[in-house]
Amino acid sequence: MAKDNKPQVDYSEVDKFIAGSYILAVDDFSSIRRIIVNTFRTRDAYVDEASNGSMAIDKMRMALENESPYDIVFVDIEMPVMDGIEFLRSV
């Protein structure tokens, strides 16, 4: 254990899972999307972004058509056009 009594976390297994994954970040705030994009691209993931649920559905359809569906989707709940709950219900 570390000095502060918190267990040490080995992120190498997480990084192995993330590397090569297809990730979609859905949020109406570009700064939040940028954080997600930068976090996962540095771990060798392919990251795409959408600013609302409607756009995310279009991107998911295109990804399926190209036979490269997203492995992980991060979705904000409160967004214009189509919020996260509506998006999740439609998926």
Side-chain angles (χ1 to χ4, degrees):
M1 290 215 178
K3 290 181 183 181
D4 58 4
N5 293 327
K6 292 182 182 176
Q8 293 291 335
V9 178
D10 179 9
Y11 290 104
S12 62
E13 289 301 314
V14 174
D15 287 342
K16 287 179 193 174
F17 174 77
I18 295 299
S21 294
Y22 290 89
I23 298 174
L24 178 61
V26 187
D27 199 301
D28 55 322
F29 286 103
S30 62
S31 57
I32 300 297
R33 292 193 315 270
R34 189 67 16 217
I35 290 168
I36 295 169
V37 167
N38 291 339
T39 298
F40 290 100
R41 280 194 181 151
T42 60
R43 287 170 172 77
D44 297 324
Y46 303 99
V47 189
D48 200 0
E49 52 188 296
S51 59
N52 62 61
S54 179
M55 183 184 288
I57 287 173
D58 290 342
K59 288 187 176 256
M60 289 182 74
R61 281 188 186 128
M62 287 175 33
L64 282 172
E65 288 172 7
N66 293 328
E67 297 182 10
S68 55
Y70 295 104
D71 300 301
I72 302 169
V73 180
F74 292 95
V75 183
D76 183 19
I77 298 299
E78 295 181 19
M79 296 179 291
V81 182
M82 178 187 278
D83 66 30
I85 300 296
E86 198 177 341
F87 164 76
L88 291 171
R89 285 185 180 134
S90 68
V91 172

